[in-house]
Amino acid sequence: MIVPLALAVLQSSTPVPQGTPTQSSLGGTFVNPFTPALDIGVMPGRMLQITMNFPGQTWQEEFVLGIPRRVRYPAPVLTLFHGYGEEPAQVVQNTALVQDAMARGWVVYIPLGAHKFNYGIEYAQRNIELSFEFLGSRLPLDLDRIYAVGFSMGGGAAASYAARHLDPEGVRFAAVVNHTGTASLRATYHTSNDTNLFESPLMFGASPDVAPFAYLQSSTVDLDHISLGTDAAGEMASNLSHVPVLHWYAQFDPLQSILDQTNALHDRLLVRGGDSSQTVVNSSLHSWSTLDPTATLDWLQQHTLQTPQPGDVTRTLADRSGRWHDLDIVQTQAGAMTPILWSAQPATDTLYLIEMENVDSVALDLGDVGLDATRDLSVVVQTVDTSAPEIVLSGVPAAPTDVRRRGTSTNSWAYANGQLTLFELGTAGWADWTIEP
C-alpha cells in the first residue's frame, strides 16, 4: 500500500525548550536535563531536523530525516554518515543521494553521531543506535533493506557501525558503500595533522599506542601506516562477512593514507570471504561529488539483509557483551576483544565454538541454528586462554540421559526449563562434548 506519511507520527508532543544547551568545541551539544527530550524543526523538501536527549548519554543527538511524499510500507532506509567536520544538513547539500533516494520512496536518515568529528567513536554509535530505535518505534521501516553510505570519516564510521551491530533484535545494514573511508583509526591518527583531536578527553583520551582498544573498537582494520600491513587480531572486518561492501574512491584522491585504508579493508574482506567490490573513478577530488548517486542506489537496491545460515562458518569478534548474530556473548573482561569462530552443522548435529578468548559465557537457541536436541548432539569447544566459558543451549526439551566430555561422562552441566548449560574447564585447548537425549 502506498500512502502519504504524516509527520505527526514522529511528534506526538514537543515540549517547549527550557534552559540553554551547552555547546562543544567538537561541533556537538552536551545533554542538558532542562532541554526537551524531542525537538523537531522542518527543513525544505520534506526534511525534518530532529534533536534528542537520550538517558545516560553525554551528547545530544541531531539528525536529518528525509520523508518521501509517498511511501510504500515498510520503507527502505538510506543512512548517510557525514564526513569530517560536516553536519547532517550539509550532507543534504553535498550529495544528490538524498533527493534521489527519496524519489525512490526511501526514508533518508542522516545522523550527526554526537558531533562533527566523531570518527565512529563508541558513544557516537550509541547515539545513532538509540535514534534508530526511536525511528523504528514510529515509522514502519523495512528491516531487511536498511543501507549505509559514508564518505571519508563517515565511510569508516558506516563500516564500523555495520560490524558492531549484528543483534537480530536491532537495526543491521543490508549493504554498505564506503566512499574513501577511514577504516583504521590507528593509521588515521598517525597520518593526521591534528592528533590533539584524538587525544582529547572528549574523544579517545590518548594515542592508539596507549589506548589501542578504543581505536580498534571503532575501526574495521588495524593498519600500520608505514608498512601497510594489517594486524588480524583486532580486525572487526571479520564481522562484515555477510554484509556486501562497495568501496568507491577517486583514483587520484590527494589523501593517499585514506586510499590505503580503503584498499586494506577491501583486501581483508576478500581474505575473510566477504562480498567486497570496488569502483574507481577518474578524479583527483576528495568529495561526496565523485560518488554517482544512481549507480550507488542501484547497487544498494539489489541487496537485502543476509545473516549466517546453518552450515556456514562465521568468524565473530565482539568488543562488548551482547547479542552477535545468534550468539549471546558475555565477556570475562570488558574493554577487550572476544573472538569466536563458530558453526552449526545440522547434517552431523554438531556445534563448533572454537578459537574463543575472553568468554565468560556464550548462549544460543539450537533451533535458531538448525540443530536438534532430540538427537545425539555434539559440541566442540576450543579456548585459547584460561577462561572457563559456560555454554548455554536453549531449545533442549528434556534433561539429557548422559553428557560426556572427551568421551567420559561428566557432571559438569545443569539443566532447567529447556536450557542446558555446559561448564567448560579453565584450561586452554580443545574439548568435545556429547549430549545424549
Side-chain angles (χ1 to χ4, degrees):
M1 179 174 62
I2 300 178
V3 297
L5 181 62
L7 305 187
V9 73
L10 287 172
Q11 47 181 349
S12 56
S13 63
T14 303
V16 177
Q18 302 176 39
T20 303
T22 304
Q23 301 297 312
S24 160
S25 60
L26 297 182
T29 305
F30 296 115
V31 165
N32 187 317
F34 298 105
T35 57
L38 174 62
D39 185 28
I40 300 178
V42 179
M43 298 172 60
R46 293 184 65 80
M47 311 288 291
L48 303 179
Q49 191 159 23
I50 301 174
T51 301
M52 301 196 69
N53 284 343
F54 292 114
Q57 292 296 97
T58 300
W59 301 84
Q60 283 185 350
E61 183 54 26
E62 304 170 19
F63 57 92
V64 167
L65 188 68
I67 301 179
R69 291 191 178 277
R70 295 177 70 80
V71 177
R72 183 181 295 277
Y73 295 138
V77 180
L78 176 65
T79 310
L80 297 177
F81 288 76
H82 63 82
Y84 181 89
E86 273 189 314
E87 294 185 351
Q90 293 174 293
V91 177
V92 178
Q93 305 300 320
N94 291 339
T95 175
L97 279 168
V98 179
Q99 297 300 333
D100 287 6
M102 290 172 64
R104 298 186 184 214
W106 295 10
V107 169
V108 176
Y109 164 55
I110 314 173
L112 176 63
H115 56 76
K116 297 189 295 184
F117 309 103
N118 64 67
Y119 278 103
I121 197 169
E122 192 277 336
Y123 62 71
Q125 293 197 29
R126 179 59 177 158
N127 264 20
I128 295 170
E129 178 185 332
L130 292 168
S131 298
F132 262 132
E133 291 179 6
F134 167 78
L135 294 177
S137 68
R138 288 160 175 79
L139 298 177
L141 306 180
D142 186 344
L143 297 179
D144 289 330
R145 298 181 63 200
I146 297 184
Y147 307 114
V149 179
F151 166 61
S152 195
M153 181 188 79
S160 175
Y161 191 96
R164 294 185 67 247
H165 290 83
L166 304 178
D167 186 345
E169 299 299 320
V171 167
R172 296 169 289 175
F173 289 139
V176 174
V177 176
N178 165 35
H179 182 0
T180 330
T182 50
S184 170
L185 295 189
R186 174 163 71 106
T188 303
Y189 171 92
H190 284 294
T191 56
S192 171
N193 293 324
D194 183 14
T195 58
N196 290 330
L197 168 67
F198 293 94
E199 295 183 6
S200 164
L202 297 178
M203 284 289 286
F204 297 102
S207 73
D209 298 324
V210 175
F213 174 77
Y215 286 79
L216 287 173
Q217 188 181 32
S218 301
S219 302
T220 44
V221 291
D222 187 21
L223 179 70
D224 184 286
H225 68 291
I226 298 175
S227 69
L228 300 186
T230 55
D231 183 356
E235 185 176 84
M236 296 204 77
S238 59
N239 290 349
L240 298 174
S241 61
H242 292 80
V243 182
V245 180
L246 171 62
H247 308 275
W248 191 291
Y249 63 90
Q251 183 176 6
F252 306 106
D253 191 307
L255 300 182
Q256 181 62 48
S257 63
I258 306 184
L259 289 181
D260 292 338
Q261 294 178 49
T262 302
N263 285 318
L265 176 56
H266 172 61
D267 291 344
R268 294 307 298 164
L269 288 175
L270 292 179
V271 168
R272 294 300 193 193
D275 180 355
S276 184
S277 56
Q278 292 179 305
T279 296
V280 183
V281 297
N282 183 19
S283 173
S284 60
L285 297 177
H286 185 72
S287 168
W288 274 106
S289 65
T290 62
L291 186 68
D292 184 303
T294 300
T296 298
L297 296 176
D298 285 348
W299 182 83
L300 290 170
Q301 189 165 322
Q302 66 181 315
H303 296 291
T304 56
L305 182 67
Q306 302 296 314
T307 59
Q309 299 299 305
D312 290 352
V313 178
T314 304
R315 185 178 299 275
T316 296
L317 185 66
D319 68 325
R320 64 201 185 283
S321 297
R323 183 79 179 271
W324 299 80
H325 292 307
D326 293 306
L327 307 181
D328 278 302
I329 297 171
V330 177
Q331 295 183 308
T332 303
Q333 177 184 344
M337 294 295 185
T338 296
I340 300 180
L341 183 65
W342 60 281
S343 180
Q345 298 291 327
T348 58
D349 217 31
T350 302
L351 173 66
Y352 294 89
L353 299 167
I354 65 174
E355 299 183 10
M356 294 194 297
E357 187 174 0
N358 192 33
V359 178
D360 183 70
S361 70
V362 56
L364 76 160
D365 190 297
L366 295 173
D368 289 345
V369 295
L371 298 180
D372 183 0
T374 65
R375 302 165 52 196
D376 282 359
L377 175 69
S378 297
V379 180
V380 179
V381 177
Q382 181 209 14
T383 56
V384 297
D385 61 3
T386 57
S387 58
E390 296 181 3
I391 313 301
V392 184
L393 307 175
S394 298
V396 181
T401 59
D402 189 28
V403 175
R404 297 188 297 277
R405 182 180 184 274
R406 295 182 177 175
T408 302
S409 294
T410 178
N411 293 323
S412 296
W413 59 275
Y415 178 83
N417 302 319
Q419 192 172 82
L420 174 66
T421 302
L422 309 177
F423 301 103
E424 188 49 80
L425 303 180
T427 56
W430 291 79
D432 59 291
W433 295 72
T434 303
I435 297 99
E436 291 188 4

